Amino acid sequence: MSASTPQSPSHGFSNDVALPRTGELFGHPTCLFTLFFAEMWERFSFYGMKALLILYMVNYLFWRQGEASHVMAWYAGLVYATPVLGGIIADKITGARWAVVIGGVIIAIGHFLLAFEPLPFFYSGLGCLVVGTGFLKPNISTQVGALYRSDDERRDSAFTIFYMGINLGAFLGPLVCEALRINLGYHYGFAAAGVGMVIGLIVYIAGMGSVVRREKQIAAEEAQPKTGGEHEPAEQGEQPTAPAEPATLNGVSMSRVYFDRGLVLVVICVFAILFWVGFEQAANVMNLWADQHTNLHVGSGEPVPIQVDAEAETGPEFDYSGGEAWRMGPAMTQSINPFFIITLAAVFAWLWQFLESRKMQPSTPMKMALGVFFLSGAYGIMLGSAQTENQPSQVQLAELPAGLEVDEQGHVFALTGDADTEERMDFGATRLIWQNGALEMRGVLTDLDWMRALGASAPASFQEAVAALQEQAEARAEEVRTGIRTGALASNTTWEVSVELPSDAGTPLAAAGWPMEEVDGEDVPKVTWDAATRTLTTSAVLAARDQAQVLAAGAEPSFRAALTDVFQQASLHKVSIGWLLAFYLVLTIGELCISPVGLSLVTKAAHPNYVGLFMGIWFLTTGAISNYLAHFVGGYWGAMTPTEYFMIFGVLGLAATVIMLIMLRILRPMLHGIH
């Protein structure tokens, strides 16, 4: 951080005499709350958008889970890696304050780009968020420390207040952005995140003057030589020197001490990676579990399947008994963790002090082991949830239609792509099974898999016709855009293209559930079917989900009836939201055992000349590496059963806990007195 230091006044003063200060609030400088609210709104935007991201890619863009997780992995990894570069740029070029402003502007632009549907806007928006966060994130935090003298006892409580701002924003963001998504659409939710960042920028810029004045006051005080105490005052022109560091500690050379402590930090970083890989499943897998496998209707009775016409081509919505019930949006579950952080952080701070007063406080390595243990416990809860959800739904089906295959275990799947890029597509997380003339699903069959399986059962000639319709639509749309740009066509020019279905393509269902678009304030179908001429017609380029809906309309009739029956039965197996509440409660306890104490240990154990290096390693491992791995692993969700997926984290967490407990006897002495 670059902050100019004013010239010292002509009269000298000691550290015991402070310069006049700006106003205070709750015992802290008022400018701390400028940073508090600025960071709160920035985190509002970050977590609000993050809560929608996987749902947008999977439900709206209709990407496969692996594709969406791949994008999430790169985004999350880079967004936590770029702050290292952003901190260097701030130190060398811009200064911390302008880095925050630049970062905030770029972040706001990124959110507003996400408010537009075309994919170039989507990727550009994510890129802006990565770059903007790199500028903003490391530099607003450093300014909190600059508001206090190095010996000011209020520093820790200041960072606690700042930390509460982070979690308050993380709590509010998903609630507001998801509410807008439900009522207006995903792009309004992304725009709300942008508005939040703009508000944060306004707060920061409006209060920047008070922050600067405070920093200058503190810098001036810190620049004054110490007087009094155990050491003689420095002569005129001499720089005060710190007491020399002892050469040994309890008979061990300091080089050996710092080497041992460095090894402990490396070991702890490895275990921290495991914890954060499990923790960051929240924004990916756990978000999808809330969306597709959890009964989010608050105040309802048990779910009952709606009576769905087997010839309807869109997925049925669920009806619930117990009268009117408010349905919680799936992204709102992302607010559960920050809620528990806000309510439990003070409890844990008191608990550690209480145990310390009785000489019972666990060591830092023990707290880390406890954190990993609670991670295992959280996924043990989800294992119970998956077992509860894993109930059978079955219907008789004499044979599978062409386009669907079955392996030796009876799992139903389809092959996608051409001969060179052929890929297996499973349904129901490998739990849709056809054996002995029966179609069975264990657990909830998602509407996405319901639609994809129906589309895969459509005759090949029908699938080819839909693909040809899309190609014609894209070509015609480009022609019209070019004509409008050159002035050859009016700006309100409309168009349509059609394809004729061959006789072996079957007859698609033409009900009210085909993909819709708004025209002059009214919803009209994007695709229409004329039975007399056997033609499909569209006047719009079809998104991936639109194409899937049309393909589902051409599904083989007997398979459609059977799969829709299974789909309805399986909706009864959605589990209570209580499982998610218990999961996030235990996971948050683990976070409070790892996150604050890990940062504290780095500052205490690293060599004074390499604290920044070890802090960078800590953030890279717990941020960039962990987030990338978390979403990379998340790409396997759907390729294995939920029980298998949750068991992996439960077993790994338990094994890591045992290993760390065994290593405690080695790690404690290597800290050389650090608790």
Side-chain angles (χ1 to χ4, degrees):
M1 180 189 70
S2 65
S4 58
T5 303
Q7 292 183 350
S8 301
S10 58
H11 62 282
F13 58 87
S14 72
N15 271 16
D16 297 325
V17 180
L19 285 170
R21 299 291 177 81
T22 55
E24 294 191 348
L25 181 65
F26 302 122
H28 287 273
T30 54
C31 48
L32 170 65
F33 297 93
T34 294
L35 301 180
F36 171 93
F37 284 108
E39 178 69 351
M40 184 198 78
W41 282 110
E42 188 274 328
R43 292 290 91 182
F44 170 96
S45 71
F46 177 82
Y47 285 102
M49 170 269 179
K50 187 178 179 182
L52 299 182
L53 186 55
I54 191 71
L55 299 175
Y56 177 72
M57 290 188 287
V58 171
N59 292 338
Y60 188 86
L61 297 180
F62 210 66
W63 290 356
R64 299 275 296 279
Q65 167 69 13
E67 297 170 331
S69 292
H70 183 74
V71 173
M72 284 282 287
W74 279 107
Y75 163 73
L78 289 173
V79 86
Y80 283 98
T82 52
V84 176
L85 182 60
I88 295 173
I89 293 175
D91 288 340
K92 303 295 184 182
I93 303 174
T94 64
R97 292 187 294 276
W98 280 110
V100 169
V101 173
I102 293 169
V105 170
I106 297 175
I107 289 172
I109 291 172
H111 287 304
F112 289 129
L113 285 173
L114 292 176
F116 296 93
E117 184 164 343
L119 282 181
F121 287 99
F122 176 73
Y123 289 118
S124 299
L126 292 183
C128 286
L129 295 179
V130 167
V131 174
T133 303
F135 275 102
L136 186 146
K137 186 60 181 170
N139 295 303
I140 194 169
S141 299
T142 60
Q143 292 178 65
V144 176
L147 300 180
Y148 299 86
R149 285 167 49 173
S150 57
D151 58 351
D152 194 326
E153 295 180 353
R154 296 176 298 172
R155 267 174 166 261
D156 288 347
S157 61
F159 275 100
T160 300
I161 293 171
F162 186 72
Y163 188 58
M164 287 301 102
I166 292 173
N167 284 282
L168 184 59
F171 171 73
L172 294 174
L175 297 179
V176 174
C177 293
E178 175 70 340
L180 288 170
R181 194 277 303 175
I182 292 171
N183 292 287
L184 298 173
Y186 281 100
H187 299 98
Y188 287 89
F190 291 139
V195 171
M197 187 64 255
V198 170
I199 294 174
L201 266 177
I202 293 172
V203 170
Y204 181 77
I205 293 173
M208 190 189 300
S210 63
V211 174
V212 172
R213 288 191 296 272
R214 176 75 183 190
E215 288 180 349
K216 288 182 177 180
Q217 291 170 347
I218 297 301
E221 290 185 19
E222 294 279 29
Q224 302 308 310
K226 292 179 179 291
T227 59
E230 299 179 2
H231 303 284
E232 291 294 329
E235 294 184 8
Q236 186 74 17
E238 289 186 4
Q239 294 297 325
T241 57
E245 183 180 74
T248 62
L249 179 66
N250 297 326
V252 181
S253 69
M254 291 306 299
S255 60
R256 178 67 186 185
V257 168
Y258 285 123
F259 178 80
D260 288 350
R261 289 175 177 175
L263 285 179
V264 174
L265 291 177
V266 171
V267 170
I268 284 179
C269 281
V270 172
F271 286 94
I273 288 175
L274 172 63
F275 176 85
W276 290 110
V277 168
F279 182 90
E280 289 298 334
Q281 297 300 310
N284 190 335
V285 167
M286 300 310 301
N287 216 353
L288 295 173
W289 179 265
D291 180 41
Q292 298 286 1
H293 301 267
T294 302
N295 175 14
L296 296 176
H297 285 72
V298 179
S300 69
E302 292 297 320
V304 295
I306 193 171
Q307 296 302 311
V308 181
D309 184 349
E311 296 185 348
E313 68 278 353
T314 57
E317 294 183 356
F318 300 112
D319 185 22
Y320 287 76
S321 60
E324 294 294 328
W326 171 69
R327 187 178 189 274
M328 181 180 184
M332 292 180 179
T333 61
Q334 297 297 292
S335 293
I336 298 174
N337 168 251
F339 171 79
F340 282 137
I341 286 287
I342 293 170
T343 54
L344 294 179
V347 174
F348 269 75
W350 170 85
L351 176 63
W352 300 139
Q353 291 181 354
F354 175 80
L355 293 175
E356 178 64 23
S357 66
R358 286 160 175 74
K359 306 300 181 184
M360 297 172 59
Q361 181 174 189
S363 65
T364 296
M366 174 59 82
K367 289 177 182 177
M368 303 290 285
L370 287 173
V372 178
F373 173 75
F374 281 114
L375 171 75
S376 176
Y379 278 96
I381 290 170
M382 290 311 302
L383 186 59
S385 178
Q387 294 283 24
T388 302
E389 182 256 8
N390 194 41
Q391 304 301 316
S393 304
Q394 189 179 88
V395 65
Q396 295 301 307
L397 179 65
E399 62 180 359
L400 284 179
L404 294 175
E405 302 187 35
V406 61
D407 62 18
E408 295 178 354
Q409 290 74 40
H411 301 141
V412 178
F413 67 95
L415 295 176
T416 62
D418 53 33
D420 295 329
T421 61
E422 194 171 70
E423 182 181 358
R424 171 170 168 159
M425 178 170 61
D426 287 292
F427 306 106
T430 74
R431 296 181 295 171
L432 184 63
I433 298 173
W434 182 77
Q435 281 182 330
N436 303 321
L439 187 66
E440 180 179 297
M441 175 67 201
R442 299 194 68 88
V444 175
L445 179 66
T446 69
D447 58 342
L448 306 178
D449 279 353
W450 179 84
M451 196 181 303
R452 287 190 173 105
L454 289 180
S457 76
S461 56
F462 181 80
Q463 297 183 39
E464 292 169 0
V466 172
L469 182 69
Q470 175 68 353
E471 290 178 5
Q472 292 183 32
E474 291 174 348
R476 183 58 180 151
E478 182 58 31
E479 290 176 5
V480 171
R481 283 193 296 267
T482 301
I484 293 173
R485 283 197 302 268
T486 60
L489 295 175
S491 59
N492 60 348
T493 300
T494 59
W495 56 269
E496 67 176 30
V497 293
S498 300
V499 296
E500 182 178 348
L501 292 187
S503 58
D504 63 349
T507 301
L509 297 170
W514 286 52
M516 309 290 285
E517 64 177 341
E518 186 175 322
V519 178
D520 297 330
E522 295 184 2
D523 288 334
V524 297
K526 288 185 178 181
V527 180
T528 57
W529 161 249
D530 188 328
T533 60
R534 289 189 59 80
T535 57
L536 289 171
T537 302
T538 185
S539 57
V541 175
L542 303 179
R545 191 181 182 99
D546 298 333
Q547 295 177 63
Q549 285 181 286
V550 176
L551 288 173
E556 197 277 325
S558 61
F559 179 68
R560 168 188 291 280
L563 189 65
T564 301
D565 192 355
V566 167
F567 180 78
Q568 294 174 196
Q569 293 180 44
S571 69
L572 286 169
H573 305 318
K574 287 196 170 189
V575 296
S576 167
I577 195 174
W579 290 102
L580 277 179
L581 290 171
F583 168 79
Y584 280 116
L585 174 60
V586 175
L587 192 67
T588 302
I589 293 173
E591 180 186 5
L592 290 170
C593 288
I594 281 188
S595 185
V597 299
L599 289 171
S600 176
L601 181 64
V602 171
T603 61
K604 291 185 292 186
H607 190 288
N609 294 337
Y610 300 106
V611 171
L613 173 63
F614 277 97
M615 191 65 76
I617 293 173
W618 174 263
F619 281 119
L620 280 175
T621 54
T622 61
I625 296 175
S626 297
N627 272 267
Y628 179 84
L629 290 176
H631 298 295
F632 177 82
V633 173
Y636 292 97
W637 177 255
M640 61 180 72
T641 69
T643 299
E644 293 169 339
Y645 192 89
F646 294 141
M647 186 179 295
I648 289 173
F649 288 100
V651 171
L652 283 178
L654 193 59
T657 302
V658 173
I659 293 171
M660 199 154 190
L661 289 175
I662 294 173
M663 294 179 67
L664 280 178
R665 291 187 178 181
I666 302 173
L667 296 178
R668 279 186 188 136
M670 291 176 68
L671 286 173
H672 296 281
I674 293 178
H675 185 70

